[in-house]
Amino acid sequence: MRHDDAVAALSTLPSAGLVAGSTPVEEMARLRAALGGGPRLLVKRDDALPFGFGGNKVRKLDLVAAHARSEGADTLLTVGGLQSNHARATAATAARLGLRCVLVLNGARPDRPTGNTLLDGLLGAEIEYVSSRAERAPAMQAAADRLRAQGRRPFEIPLGASTPLGAIAYARAVAELVAQVPAPDVIVHATSSGGTQAGLLAGCTLLDLPTRVLGISADDPAPVLQEVVAALVSGIDVALGGAGRLSAAAPRADVDDSFVGEGYGIPTPASREALELAARTEALFLDSTYTAKAMAGLMAHVRAGRFRSDETVLFWHTGGQVGLLA
Ligand SMILES: Cc1ncc(COP(=O)(O)O)c(C=O)c1O
């Protein structure tokens, strides 16, 4: 059953104007042929979002930054790794909205910044380096306290902007997709902080689509991500005034954690193959940390015959290509 009130609520959320129009949906016929046939393959090109080198964080920040602005924020703060796509997208958002930006990144200050850190600097973000992931959140809080003591209005954005509001951006994106093409049988995408998957799952549930959402983990074990996604879906439910209906209707997240390999950001033979094959058949640029592992998952499932040939499988490209140039 469609959840019409929640669907209506989706379209009225204030946005910062970073996402104009729809990203393309393209056929991947040459990749399909290279895999020896199988389901029809489509790609949703969020890597090609025109703002700030694109990627899934642009959609999330479009809503989160609008909220920050409505609270009177003058500075956006966030955390990530040295080559964080989310940090770069946050720096770009701050620049576009005339806000200041503080990024807390774990890793050593590079002598010669590359990829996302090069862009962070160009965008005018202040970068604070910490040595471990565990130090990021306390360092962000300390930076926010310092700014408040100086009379500024900081707004802290958690890792990946994976708050219920950030995740809602992907529920909206599902509505965008089905205005372009019939609902695919399966959506395959990279999952890490869970926001994208929670939004996709919520969107498919709210619109009562028959689509299965398969997240390929870049990092955490499946049961951990399933819990994170469930919590975000219930947060989306509250934010949209669904009174528990969305949480009750949404299936448990489908997460495949068998493509992580040795760990976050470490390429695998399958991810290297996926990176090359996507480039050589479709001129699609993936990244080693997220999208190449997700594409490796899609390719393995196709080759193993896990999708029927009359099905349509859509790869939701979540960006990250800047990291290739690091
Ligand atoms: C390129 C790319 N794809 C996928 C993801 C995962 O998205 P999410 O954090 O919403 O699970 C990220 C973010 O971490 C990313 O940068």
Side-chain angles (χ1 to χ4, degrees), residues 135-304:
E135 289 166 75
R136 296 186 304 208
M140 174 163 75
Q141 220 191 323
D145 289 343
R146 270 197 310 276
L147 292 170
R148 265 188 288 271
Q150 294 162 13
R152 303 231 321 251
R153 306 281 306 257
F155 186 94
E156 295 173 62
I157 302 175
L159 184 71
S162 281
T163 59
L165 183 61
I168 283 175
Y170 269 88
R172 278 159 61 117
V174 172
E176 174 184 308
L177 174 73
V178 295
Q180 296 173 290
V181 289
D185 297 287
V186 187
I187 293 173
V188 178
H189 70 99
T191 184
S192 178
S193 62
T196 303
Q197 185 155 21
L200 292 173
L201 205 56
C204 291
T205 306
L206 293 172
L207 293 167
D208 198 21
L209 305 182
T211 307
R212 173 182 162 210
V213 177
L214 173 59
I216 310 286
S217 175
D219 196 356
D220 285 325
V224 172
L225 269 167
Q226 286 170 322
E227 289 308 311
V228 170
V229 171
L232 282 167
V233 169
S234 108
I236 293 173
D237 197 1
V238 172
L240 296 178
R245 286 175 60 224
L246 169 61
S247 301
R252 191 164 169 76
D254 200 348
V255 179
D256 184 342
D257 59 8
S258 58
F259 294 88
V260 178
E262 283 176 39
Y264 176 79
I266 304 173
T268 62
S271 75
R272 285 199 189 88
E273 190 218 352
L275 196 73
E276 283 191 9
L277 197 62
R280 289 172 193 190
T281 55
E282 302 292 347
L284 273 184
F285 297 115
L286 307 176
D287 77 297
S288 297
T289 304
Y290 302 100
T291 52
K293 287 182 178 173
M295 181 60 92
L298 180 150
M299 285 166 40
H301 284 270
V302 170
R303 285 173 171 147

